């Protein structure tokens, strides 16, 4: 059974004072003028997975102004032959909360019933900007396969922050470091193993796939000081590197120093050296490969969120993208300024026209 939302309600979320959407399992083509709140709908759907959503915003920033009293999203999700009622909300800028089927749940619980992938315009510079964005991109893909990856990453970051504080304060007593380095070693090794596992699944999904988009070869670069293979080796490396790290004021070895390196396989050209169009095509290819791998691993294609992707592809590439989405059976939520961008989808999709009048958003079929 396809993973899909059948209803979505936004209350005081971003530009939407109130918006209600009813859908079936087909792709969702959303069109309307700039500023109508199309991307805000995609962001709302992205919050049906763990994390901060496709904009990585704080809960406070998602609150509609000027009311600023909080926001709430509700939806009905069909997942693996089960129906789940999901609520997520924030009050007065506090951390967002989640209920699944009426019961309070951790955000990580969303990862066990839902998978959401996205491609947004801000990702177009992925290959030419800093390594942090590429690590985040890889970790989102990894999280789609391994829901516990988020918790492991949080534990690693917390321990590293505490260790970095000791380093900045020039604390030299080894007893202060031992427990933190053990926690960093255990979680850091798990992060590294999770990432390698995700890359293997992506590689397998790309091998032999019939696609109109170029294949990307991905490798994980461990950073200047390398990345030990085991928790024990990482713990020893952290202990041995204290003097060096004291001088730097921060931790210089671990999974937080890794980078994702991509190559346009057919041309053997690094992704960072490809044209803008080729870089976009590689990103689309990776999102589709991630979706194919999840269809095997999770048992259903993920929800796909593609913001303005149609505007940056020519007509043939758009048609090819829509064909692959439909072949996957994915409920892809896509935005564009006009319905003509989705002409080649025909009756294979459902079309939503979004307008906004004083925050009461009309979302209706054309």
């Amino acid at each position: 059974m396809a993973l899909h939302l059948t209803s979505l309600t936004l209350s005081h979320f971003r530009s939407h004072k109130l918006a209600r959407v009813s859908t079936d399992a087909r792709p969702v083509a959303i069109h309307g003028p700039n500023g109508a709140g199309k991307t805000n709908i995609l962001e709302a759907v992205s919050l049906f997975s763990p994390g901060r959503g496709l904009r990585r915003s704080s809960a406070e920033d998602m609150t509609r102004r000027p009311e600023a009293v909080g926001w709430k999203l509700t939806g009905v999700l069909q997942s693996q032959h089960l129906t789940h009622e999901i609520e997520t909300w924030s009050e007065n800028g506090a951390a967002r909360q989640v209920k699944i089927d009426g019961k309070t749940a951790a955000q990580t619980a969303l990862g066990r019933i839902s998978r959401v992938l996205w491609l947004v315009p801000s990702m177009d510079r992925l290959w030419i900007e800093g390594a942090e964005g590429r690590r985040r991109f890889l970790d989102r893909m990894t999280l789609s396969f391994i829901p516990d990856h988020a918790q492991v990453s949080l534990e690693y970051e917390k321990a590293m922050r505490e260790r970095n504080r000791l380093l900045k304060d020039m604390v030299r007593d080894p007893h202060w470091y031992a427990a933190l380095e053990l926690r960093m070693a255990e979680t850091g090794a798990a992060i590294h193993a999770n990432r390698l596992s995700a890359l293997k699944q992506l590689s397998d999904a790309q091998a032999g796939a019939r696609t109109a988009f170029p294949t990307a070869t991905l490798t994980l670069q461990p950073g200047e000081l390398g990345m030990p293979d085991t928790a024990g080796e990482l713990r020893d490396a952290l202990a041995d590197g204290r003097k060096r790290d004291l001088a730097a004021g921060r931790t210089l070895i671990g999974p937080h120093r890794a980078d994702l390196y991509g190559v346009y396989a057919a041309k053997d050209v690094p992704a960072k050296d490809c044209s803008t169009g080729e870089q976009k095509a590689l990103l689309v290819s990776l999102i589709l490969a991630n979706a194919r791998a999840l269809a095997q691993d999770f048992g259903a294609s993920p929800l796909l969120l593609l913001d303005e992707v149609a505007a940056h592809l020519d007509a043939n590439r758009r048609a090819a993208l829509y064909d692959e989405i439909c072949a996957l059976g994915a409920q892809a939520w896509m935005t564009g300024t006009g319905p003509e961008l989705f002409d080649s989808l025909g009756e294979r999709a459902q079309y939503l026209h979004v307008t906004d009048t004083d925050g009461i958003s009309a979302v209706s079929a054309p």
Side-chain angles (χ1 to χ4, degrees):
M1 182 177 182
L3 175 70
H4 65 282
L5 286 166
T6 58
S7 72
L8 173 67
T9 300
L10 294 72
S11 176
H12 293 86
F13 183 83
R14 294 287 190 183
S15 62
H16 298 285
K17 186 174 183 180
L18 180 65
R20 294 189 177 93
V21 180
S22 296
T23 56
D24 55 43
R26 292 175 295 166
V28 184
I30 306 172
H31 63 92
N34 292 328
K38 302 184 298 296
T39 302
N40 295 339
I41 293 175
L42 266 59
E43 183 179 24
V45 177
S46 75
L47 293 173
F48 285 76
S49 65
R52 297 169 61 182
L54 58 79
R55 285 191 176 109
R56 301 191 70 251
S57 298
S58 68
E60 183 177 9
D61 287 343
M62 298 177 194
T63 302
R64 175 179 161 81
R65 310 295 178 185
E67 297 93 336
V69 295
W71 52 266
K72 185 174 185 179
L73 307 172
T74 59
V76 176
L77 181 74
Q78 300 292 331
S79 175
Q80 297 179 321
H81 303 283
L82 297 174
T83 300
H84 297 284
E85 296 182 1
I86 299 174
E87 302 170 73
T88 185
W89 71 94
S90 170
E91 296 178 352
N92 299 316
R96 77 176 176 112
Q97 302 179 63
V98 175
K99 281 188 177 181
I100 300 175
D101 298 329
K103 298 179 180 178
T104 300
Q107 285 188 36
T108 51
L110 292 170
R112 298 186 179 94
I113 62 172
S114 177
R115 299 289 192 275
V116 186
L117 306 178
W118 54 77
L119 183 58
V120 296
S122 63
M123 295 163 65
D124 289 352
R125 297 179 60 82
L126 181 77
W127 303 113
I128 58 176
E129 294 189 335
E132 181 181 358
R134 289 186 289 277
R135 282 194 299 272
R136 190 160 53 244
F137 178 75
L138 174 57
D139 283 334
R140 281 299 312 178
M141 291 192 294
T142 303
L143 178 64
S144 73
F145 297 114
I146 307 169
D148 291 339
H149 185 69
Q151 186 61 39
V152 173
S153 299
L154 287 172
E155 291 175 6
Y156 178 84
E157 291 290 338
K158 180 180 178 182
M160 185 174 67
R161 282 196 303 270
E162 294 179 16
R163 184 178 188 269
N164 285 348
R165 188 174 67 250
L166 294 177
L167 295 169
K168 289 177 181 178
D169 292 343
M170 300 300 290
V171 174
R172 298 180 184 276
D173 186 341
H175 294 93
W176 286 95
Y177 290 93
L180 292 175
E181 289 171 352
L182 176 60
R183 198 184 323 160
M184 286 181 65
E186 292 172 344
T187 54
I191 290 169
H192 186 63
N194 290 348
R195 287 171 172 172
L196 291 176
S197 175
L199 289 178
K200 176 64 165 58
Q201 288 182 270
L202 284 169
S203 177
D204 291 346
Q206 290 188 104
R210 298 183 63 183
T211 176
F213 295 89
T215 296
T217 301
L218 300 179
T219 54
L220 185 61
Q221 297 185 329
E224 293 180 3
L225 298 177
M227 177 64 198
D229 292 327
T230 69
E233 291 172 344
L234 179 54
R235 181 189 59 195
D236 292 343
L238 289 166
D240 293 342
R242 286 176 200 156
K243 184 177 180 180
R244 176 200 62 222
D245 292 352
L246 276 165
R250 64 189 189 281
T251 302
L252 296 178
I253 190 170
H256 66 288
R257 304 288 292 180
D259 196 359
L260 180 66
Y261 183 69
V263 173
Y264 189 134
K267 295 185 176 182
D268 195 26
V269 174
K272 64 183 178 64
D273 296 329
C274 291
S275 70
T276 301
E278 288 172 334
Q279 290 176 350
K280 184 75 171 188
L282 287 171
L283 285 173
V284 172
S285 176
L286 287 172
I287 293 297
L288 291 172
N290 196 169
R292 286 194 296 271
L294 281 173
Q296 295 293 322
D297 183 75
F298 183 62
S301 296
L303 299 174
L304 295 177
L305 310 179
L306 305 175
D307 191 23
E308 299 291 347
V309 69
H312 300 285
L313 300 174
D314 60 38
N316 290 334
R317 275 273 170 84
R318 281 202 301 268
L321 173 61
Y322 300 154
D323 287 346
E324 292 195 37
I325 287 170
C326 292
L328 278 167
Q331 189 187 55
W333 297 65
M334 301 171 286
T335 63
T337 53
E340 69 280 356
L341 293 169
F342 307 105
D343 281 349
S344 58
L345 271 167
E347 295 182 357
R348 297 179 296 172
Q350 52 207 312
Y351 300 83
L352 302 179
H353 182 216
V354 182
T355 57
D356 186 6
T357 305
D358 297 326
I360 308 299
S361 302
V363 184
S364 57

